[in-house]
Amino acid sequence: MKKNILNTSGFTMVEIAVVLGIIAILVTSFGTSMAQWRTGYQLVSTIRNILSALHNALLAAVKNNADVFFQFDLGNDRCQVFLDDTTNVANRGLWDAGDRRINMILLPTSVNFTQLFGTANVVAFANFNSRGFSSIAGAVHLKNAKDIYKGLN
């Protein structure tokens, strides 16, 4: 009796090609859903960062017994928290070299400010005094690349 030298166990090329095709379809669909999820996540993450910076501004104002300003800059898509050390009333609330920066948030490229405190100002700010009270009330609106809007009130 002759023994068969070929091994008959294993997968055929057709079976491997079918499995690779299914994996390719799954990876493609997963990649597009990940891209959509990422833009939404960046918007929510930016809002959380701004809320955290606002809370830190309030704490810094009380801790340092001084006015702390939170400046929103639409033109540069950023916001910063700083302790205003200036005694010049004309420069009050404006960042200059003598001020101590507490925090700065750069917005991701897919997230933009759309409205600040009900106006379309290029630069707007809020401040917290030494007792932790804010000088302004309003909302900040952001949008992402998919034109999804979220606001901070």
Side-chain angles (χ1 to χ4, degrees), residues 41-108:
Y41 177 76
Q42 283 180 334
L43 181 63
V44 171
S45 176
T46 303
I47 289 173
R48 285 185 185 144
N49 288 341
I50 291 173
L51 285 173
S52 177
L54 281 168
H55 184 71
N56 288 338
L58 177 119
L59 294 176
V62 173
K63 178 182 175 186
N64 295 311
N65 196 24
D67 287 347
V68 174
F69 286 84
F70 199 99
Q71 182 179 15
F72 297 92
D73 188 354
L74 264 72
N76 296 317
D77 285 331
R78 68 179 181 181
C79 50
Q80 63 182 349
V81 180
F82 61 93
L83 185 72
D84 195 357
D85 291 336
T86 197
T87 55
N88 185 357
V89 177
N91 290 337
R92 191 96 176 119
L94 299 175
W95 168 259
D96 57 22
D99 297 336
R100 189 179 81 184
R101 181 178 288 144
I102 297 170
N103 195 354
M104 176 180 259
I105 299 170
L106 297 173
L107 274 67

Side-chain angles (χ1 to χ4, degrees), residues 13 31 40 66 69 71 73 84 89-90 100 102 105 109 111-113 120 124 131 135-137 140-141 143 153:
M13 289 299 280
F69 286 84
Q71 182 179 15
D73 188 354
D84 195 357
V89 177
R100 189 179 81 184
I102 297 170
I105 299 170
T109 55
V111 177
N112 297 312
F113 289 118
R131 295 183 295 164
S135 67
I136 192 167
V140 176
H141 297 270
K143 75 170 185 156
N153 296 327

